[in-house]
Amino acid sequence: MTVNDTKPPAPAPAPQGANRSTTRLGDRVFSNLSKGSGIALLVIMAAIAVFLAIRAVVAIRANDGNFLTTFAWEANADPPYFGIAVLLFGTVVSSVIAMVIAVPVAVGIALFLSHYAPRRLATPIGYLVDLLAAVPSIIYGLWGALYLVPRLTGVYEWLDDLFGWTGVFAYDGSPARSLMTVGILLAVMILPIITSVTREVFQQTPKAHQEAALALGATRWEVIRVTVLPFGRSGVISASMLGLGRALGETMAVATVLSPSFLINASLLESGGGTFAQNIASQFKEAGSMGRDALIASGLVLFLLTLLVNGAARLIIARRKEYSGANA
């Protein structure tokens, strides 16, 4: 037999039932339900945005275009005057403080549970973290108002002695119901959420990568730094955005702890401030027709802020994946 007489091997027959998954009734039903759920979610989000926009336009027009710059909130006055300057400042600052405190601690706890702690210790601590994520926000608010606030006075006086000259940590001696207190409370609230998600991401790191690093003589910390942290970077960002979303929209805990005030203070330790959610919860009951429209307008700003934050997070994650794929 010559070389030219050889025939290429016949292709292997397709396994029976290979196309069955595309024709099964259950798969078609599940696919349609999934698509319908996604479309329904988009419709609900659009309906919420349209409702907020329609009610907000009425209030913004009645305020003569000062909605973004006015510091007071007198929506029931004649004429009404109100603005989101203080609320936007308080919401962003308290959330940033919470993220600065919570994210490093959450990553450290997640690494301890996934790579350092023995299983008999990591399991109960993991259950405890999950339980803390389920605690109602009003419980955190009561704990913050009755336990945390009185015990922060000494800390704030110490910060005032060391860094009061900066103006950021100048303390006036009043009860510690400030944006800094709210930030600390929010950090405690979002810590379990970030920890739980981050721990699950770190545990998904391929064992082959870790074993290869150990075979090359890397220490445990070097293995974490070279394999675990790069692998879990996108997950940490996603977990942080989940925590930030809760911090931005938290209502009862903030309303319980914060002393409402429509002043922007240079110091984070001075009492007062305000957030969107806290202002809506405290003002909605007494608000008239125009006052409710004004609160809905502030809710629209919070809605857009949340969408902006989540959109930025998705963009960061997408770029990380593109960068990782290009370097693979």
Side-chain angles (χ1 to χ4, degrees):
M1 179 182 296
T2 63
V3 176
N4 294 331
D5 293 334
T6 60
K7 297 181 179 180
Q16 295 182 358
N19 297 326
R20 190 179 301 172
S21 60
T22 60
T23 59
R24 287 179 179 175
L25 177 62
D27 292 330
R28 293 198 302 270
V29 171
F30 179 78
S31 177
N32 292 330
L33 287 177
S34 300
K35 294 178 181 178
S37 299
I39 295 173
L41 178 61
L42 294 177
V43 171
I44 292 172
M45 293 289 291
I48 293 174
V50 170
F51 166 77
L52 294 175
I54 292 175
R55 297 291 296 270
V57 168
V58 177
I60 294 174
R61 287 179 177 176
N63 199 29
D64 296 331
N66 297 321
F67 182 66
L68 298 177
T69 57
T70 304
F71 290 84
W73 192 274
E74 295 294 339
N76 295 320
D78 189 19
Y81 57 96
F82 51 87
I84 62 166
V86 176
L87 301 177
L88 181 61
F89 176 81
T91 301
V92 172
V93 169
S94 60
S95 299
V96 169
I97 293 173
M99 295 296 292
V100 170
I101 297 174
V103 172
V105 177
V107 171
I109 296 175
L111 287 175
F112 173 75
L113 294 178
S114 60
H115 289 82
Y116 284 96
R119 183 175 298 274
R120 60 182 180 182
L121 179 62
T123 300
I125 295 179
Y127 289 152
L128 179 61
V129 170
D130 295 336
L131 288 175
L132 288 175
V135 174
S137 59
I138 187 62
I139 303 300
Y140 282 108
L142 293 174
W143 172 78
L146 300 178
Y147 183 85
L148 183 63
V149 169
R151 285 161 177 79
L152 286 178
T153 301
V155 177
Y156 287 178
E157 291 176 349
W158 175 72
L159 290 173
D160 185 24
D161 292 338
L162 292 180
F163 307 106
W165 56 273
T166 63
V168 178
F169 298 104
Y171 183 54
D172 58 4
S174 59
R177 296 179 177 271
S178 62
L179 291 178
M180 186 70 181
T181 305
V182 172
I184 296 173
L185 179 62
L186 291 176
V188 176
M189 294 181 63
I190 67 177
L191 183 64
I193 300 174
I194 303 176
T195 301
S196 297
V197 177
T198 305
R199 178 193 61 194
E200 295 298 327
V201 172
F202 287 161
Q203 289 178 343
Q204 300 302 317
T205 306
K207 294 294 183 182
H209 295 178
Q210 301 180 56
E211 293 173 355
L214 290 173
L216 293 174
T219 63
R220 180 177 296 183
W221 165 243
E222 289 173 340
V223 171
I224 292 174
R225 182 170 57 86
V226 174
T227 62
V228 178
L229 293 179
F231 177 84
R233 186 179 291 112
S234 297
V236 173
I237 296 174
S238 300
S240 301
M241 291 305 105
L242 286 175
L244 180 58
R246 180 172 185 181
L248 289 172
E250 181 53 45
T251 304
M252 294 309 301
V254 178
T256 305
V257 171
L258 189 62
S259 296
S261 173
F262 288 94
L263 293 174
I264 292 182
N265 298 319
S267 174
L268 300 177
L269 308 183
E270 293 182 4
S271 296
T275 65
F276 287 115
Q278 170 263 335
N279 185 61
I280 293 172
S282 60
Q283 300 281 343
F284 194 84
K285 185 177 180 180
E286 293 80 13
S289 177
M290 180 56 64
R292 292 183 179 179
D293 288 342
L295 293 174
I296 290 174
S298 67
L300 175 62
V301 177
L302 179 59
F303 181 79
L304 295 177
L305 180 63
T306 304
L307 289 181
L308 180 63
V309 169
N310 284 277
R314 296 302 305 173
L315 182 61
I316 293 173
I317 294 173
R319 288 187 175 181
R320 290 287 184 183
K321 290 182 178 179
E322 292 178 359
Y323 178 77
S324 300
N327 292 337

